[in-house]
Amino acid sequence: MAINHELKKLVTTWCVNDVQTVRTDLTDEQAFEVLIRVDRYFDADYGISWDTLKITADDLYPREQAND
């Protein structure tokens, strides 16, 4: 997170590597799709968190269930 005093803005950046921290199985392209979805449905009341990234990734790319 960074403050830009000149523009009076707070900037938060999430990247592909952040998505891959919570879902190590995703490719760079898949992780970027997660970021696009998070941006598209951004809700300022809830913000973006690690849970947001994981839930969105799981929604877009469900993990295969292990066969017992």
Side-chain angles (χ1 to χ4, degrees):
M1 200 166 351
I3 293 281
N4 183 317
H5 292 275
E6 184 178 314
L7 297 176
K8 296 184 177 18
K9 290 185 178 185
L10 171 67
V11 180
T12 303
T13 303
W14 291 93
C15 67
V16 165
N17 289 339
D18 294 321
V19 176
Q20 291 169 327
T21 296
V22 295
R23 282 291 304 272
T24 58
D25 59 313
L26 297 183
T27 66
D28 288 352
E29 292 78 20
Q30 289 171 322
F32 188 62
E33 287 297 320
V34 171
L35 293 174
I36 291 169
R37 171 77 64 94
V38 167
D39 178 57
R40 183 175 298 134
Y41 295 103
F42 177 75
D43 184 333
D45 286 333
Y46 298 102
I48 299 171
S49 68
W50 294 107
D51 287 338
T52 307
L53 298 179
K54 183 173 183 332
I55 290 165
T56 304
D58 290 346
D59 182 50
L60 280 173
Y61 304 102
R63 294 178 190 252
E64 291 185 22
Q65 297 285 331
N67 293 330
D68 294 325

